[in-house]
């Protein structure tokens, strides 16, 4: 009776067709700001599965909280295509360098200095952004978002396009659109109602208040979380978040909400005292990759395709309309909001006076360069 190894040796084709779109390193497309690493896949007992890998797609723009530039978006599309067709790849781990931010969305400097006031240019950018989200949702391998830090704005959107999210518990999750001149229609308005229900989706998509990782887990935005803060060598839960009780005195669920007042201040002080260690996050991600490898590959892909449909159907229904609106939005509110963030700072603020804008519009004041300038922080 021939062994599987005998059959491999005897029947494997001498030359395989390369189904990659282009034969270029991902890093060469974006000056290394997106990295593509094939890391050995392991079984649940930790042993290496010879010849099999997990593809790590890593954002590498830490100074700008791993926001993605246009070149990074292009590289990410090709990275997911590369992983999808790579026969040796078992799963994709989508993450970023450092322990502060997974991704805070589109690059506000590029938005403010190049795309603001250029709807035709942003329409072209949004073709790339849409293709990035679709490349994640269409990847033939399971995609795990390793949430190494805050996941905000478009970062939350590409994160929710993944199949699994495992977070370190200091990470926050949320949108920024209506505060910075955009709307979370790059996926969040499609995915959030499906994932957490319309009411909580409305809260997240309009008020732009972040959820803690514990609340994100409770609501269903992520499937697992691990502690990341070490105090005196011992892992502790995020000290700025309520994790030791479920209800307040009125029976309202408070687990995962941020602490307030003196309790929050003490939590912030503890944060400063400790060190961040993502080793438990990596253990949990590797464990999930090992579980995924112990399955039939085509059945896994079919299961992914079917289970993605609630998100995918909403995304496909809206993505082109969203692209068109976001492009035109670059003439007024996005032009104003992203310039405010880019030209502001902690001292003078990074958002406009929303009431002042509303008062002007309530009197029918037309949008003009002069009106936009008057709304910049510190004016
Ligand atoms: C709330 C924040 C995410 C975190 O705030 P904080 O912890 O106070 O850090 P900051 O001091 O603000 O930031 C540290 C430095 O990182 C730079 N940074 C942060 N985010 C970005 C970004 N997205 N692009 C470029 N640079 C960024 C920041 O400028 C600081 O550097 P500096 O040199 O200035 O000290 C807060 O950072 C924040 O709100 N960030 C912006 C979030 C945002 O607006 N993202 C874009 C949303 S829109 C989007 O993503 C879209 C996607 C596709 C569809 C259309 C669309 O709009």
């Amino acid at each position: 009776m021939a062994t599987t190894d005998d059959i491999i040796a005897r029947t494997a084709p001498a030359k395989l067709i390369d189904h990659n779109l282009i034969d270029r390193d991902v890093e060469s497309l974006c000056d290394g700001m997106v990295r593509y690493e094939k890391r050995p896949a392991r079984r649940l007992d930790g042993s290496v599965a010879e010849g099999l890998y997990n593809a790590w797609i890593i954002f590498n723009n830490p100074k700008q909280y791993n926001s993605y530039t246009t070149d990074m978006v292009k590289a990410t599309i090709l990275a997911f295509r590369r992983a999808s067709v790579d026969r040796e790849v078992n799963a994709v781990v989508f993450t970023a360098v450092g322990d502060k931010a997974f991704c805070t969305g589109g690059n506000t400097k590029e938005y403010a200095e190049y795309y603001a006031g250029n709807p035709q240019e942003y329409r072209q950018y949004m073709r790339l952004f849409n293709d990035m989200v679709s490349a994640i949702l269409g990847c033939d391998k399971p995609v795990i978002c390793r949430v190494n830090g805050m996941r905000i704005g478009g970062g939350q959107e590409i994160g929710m396009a993944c199949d699994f999210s495992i977070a370190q518990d200091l990470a926050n999750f949320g949108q920024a659109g209506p505060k910075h001149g955009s709307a979370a229609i790059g996926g969040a308005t499609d995915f959030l109602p499906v994932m957490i229900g319309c009411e909580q989706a409305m809260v997240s998509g309009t008020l732009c208040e972040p959820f803690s990782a514990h609340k994100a887990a409770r609501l269903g935005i992520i499937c697992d979380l691990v502690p990341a803060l070490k105090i005196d060598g011992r892992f502790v839960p995020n000290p700025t978040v309520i994790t030791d009780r479920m209800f307040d005195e009125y029976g309202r669920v408070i687990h995962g909400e941020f602490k307030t007042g003196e309790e929050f201040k003490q939590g912030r002080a503890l944060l400063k005292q400790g060190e961040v260690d993502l080793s438990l996050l990596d253990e949990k991600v590797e464990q999930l990759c090992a579980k995924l490898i112990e399955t039939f590959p085509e059945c896994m892909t079919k299961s992914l395709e079917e289970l993605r449909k609630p998100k995918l159907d909403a995304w496909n229904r809206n993505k082109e309309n969203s692209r068109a609106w976001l492009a035109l939005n670059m003439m007024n509110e996005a032009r104003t909001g992203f310039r405010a963030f880019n030209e502001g700072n902690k001292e003078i603020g990074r958002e406009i006076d929303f009431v002042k804008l509303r008062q002007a519009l309530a009197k029918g004041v037309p949008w003009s360069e002069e009106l936009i300038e008057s709304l910049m922080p510190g004016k």
Side-chain angles (χ1 to χ4, degrees):
M1 161 78 86
T3 66
T4 309
D5 283 339
D6 295 340
I7 295 164
I8 292 170
R10 189 160 24 90
T11 60
K15 183 168 171 29
L16 292 169
I17 293 176
D18 179 1
H19 297 103
N20 259 305
L21 272 176
I22 61 170
D23 187 12
R24 269 188 64 181
D25 284 345
V26 163
E27 292 79 357
S28 68
L29 294 163
C30 57
D31 197 19
M33 291 171 80
V34 176
R35 299 204 310 242
Y36 184 89
E37 296 176 4
K38 283 176 69 171
R39 297 186 183 181
R42 295 177 181 277
R43 297 181 181 83
L44 281 168
D45 64 8
S47 62
V48 171
E50 288 305 326
L52 297 179
Y53 302 85
N54 296 308
W56 284 55
I57 298 173
I58 306 167
F59 278 4
N60 178 26
N61 180 22
K63 286 203 176 75
Q64 294 183 309
Y65 273 8
N66 293 313
S67 58
Y68 42 79
T69 62
T70 304
D71 285 346
M72 288 172 71
V73 175
K74 290 184 201 173
T76 306
I77 296 166
L78 292 170
F80 273 93
R81 290 296 299 266
R82 179 177 295 278
S84 192
V85 300
D86 189 328
R87 301 171 182 84
E88 297 176 340
V89 166
N90 156 61
V92 177
V93 177
F94 188 22
T95 190
V97 298
D99 57 28
K100 289 280 184 310
F102 162 69
C103 176
T104 56
N107 189 284
T108 49
K109 183 174 178 58
E110 189 179 64
Y111 279 13
E113 295 176 3
Y114 183 79
Y115 291 115
N118 279 319
Q120 73 289 352
E121 291 295 308
Y122 199 63
R123 176 186 279 273
Q124 292 203 8
Y125 166 90
M126 279 307 298
R127 167 56 64 229
L128 295 169
F129 175 86
N130 280 7
D131 288 357
M132 172 170 67
V133 174
S134 296
I136 299 166
L137 287 165
C139 185
D140 283 347
K141 313 292 168 62
V143 180
I144 301 164
C145 185
R146 170 187 176 271
V147 191
N148 59 293
M150 66 178 82
R151 197 169 87 171
I152 301 290
Q156 170 74 325
E157 295 176 307
I158 58 178
M160 291 191 290
C162 298
D163 301 309
F164 304 91
S165 287
I166 301 176
Q168 60 102 334
D169 84 336
L170 303 174
N172 286 345
F173 297 76
Q175 303 307 143
K179 289 284 190 185
H180 293 167
S182 191
I185 56 178
T189 50
D190 301 315
F191 305 149
L192 280 171
V194 169
M195 295 171 79
I196 64 175
C198 294
E199 194 74 12
Q200 287 293 345
M202 192 65 75
V203 168
S204 181
T206 58
L207 305 182
C208 304
E209 293 165 350
F211 292 153
S212 74
H214 291 270
K215 182 166 184 177
R218 169 161 56 87
L219 293 179
I221 291 174
I222 61 178
C223 68
D224 210 340
L225 62 84
V226 292
L229 182 67
K230 260 182 160 174
I231 306 271
D232 302 330
R234 192 171 59 85
F235 281 107
V236 297
N238 183 338
T240 66
V241 172
I242 298 169
T243 56
D244 58 355
R245 54 193 187 283
M246 213 49 200
F247 305 103
D248 69 6
E249 64 270 35
Y250 303 111
R252 293 174 299 193
V253 175
I254 54 171
H255 185 279
E257 298 299 337
F258 291 106
K259 293 176 178 175
T260 55
E262 193 50 39
E263 218 188 357
F264 180 75
K265 282 188 193 141
Q266 287 166 11
R268 292 288 294 179
L270 262 182
L271 264 182
K272 291 194 173 77
Q273 193 182 317
E275 59 164 337
V276 178
D277 174 335
L278 299 188
S279 58
L280 294 183
L281 178 62
D282 288 332
E283 266 178 45
K284 193 66 90 168
V285 166
E286 285 293 344
Q287 187 186 56
L288 178 53
C289 289
K291 288 179 182 176
L292 291 165
I293 206 169
E294 298 289 354
T295 58
F296 279 100
E298 288 302 311
C299 294
M300 171 57 68
T301 300
K302 188 57 190 166
S303 303
L304 293 170
E305 287 170 345
E306 292 305 316
L307 290 163
R308 287 168 177 168
K309 278 185 178 171
K311 291 194 279 192
L312 189 62
D313 291 351
W315 168 248
N316 284 335
R317 192 167 55 245
N318 299 315
K319 63 185 169 66
E320 293 311 305
N321 260 348
S322 300
R323 170 177 180 244
W325 184 90
L326 286 164
L328 289 173
N329 182 51
M330 268 297 170
M331 278 311 290
N332 293 326
E333 292 191 358
R335 182 183 201 169
T336 308
F338 290 124
R339 277 195 52 198
F341 184 84
N342 189 49
E343 295 168 25
N345 56 42
K346 294 241 189 265
E347 289 65 47
I348 61 173
R350 308 189 86 152
E351 291 171 358
I352 70 161
D353 180 337
F354 298 106
V355 171
K356 185 65 76 183
L357 170 63
R358 288 174 177 271
Q359 288 168 334
L361 297 178
K363 295 195 179 306
V365 168
W367 278 94
S368 64
E369 191 66 60
E370 192 186 18
L371 174 68
I372 291 172
E373 283 306 327
S374 74
L375 292 165
M376 288 301 108
K379 286 287 171 26

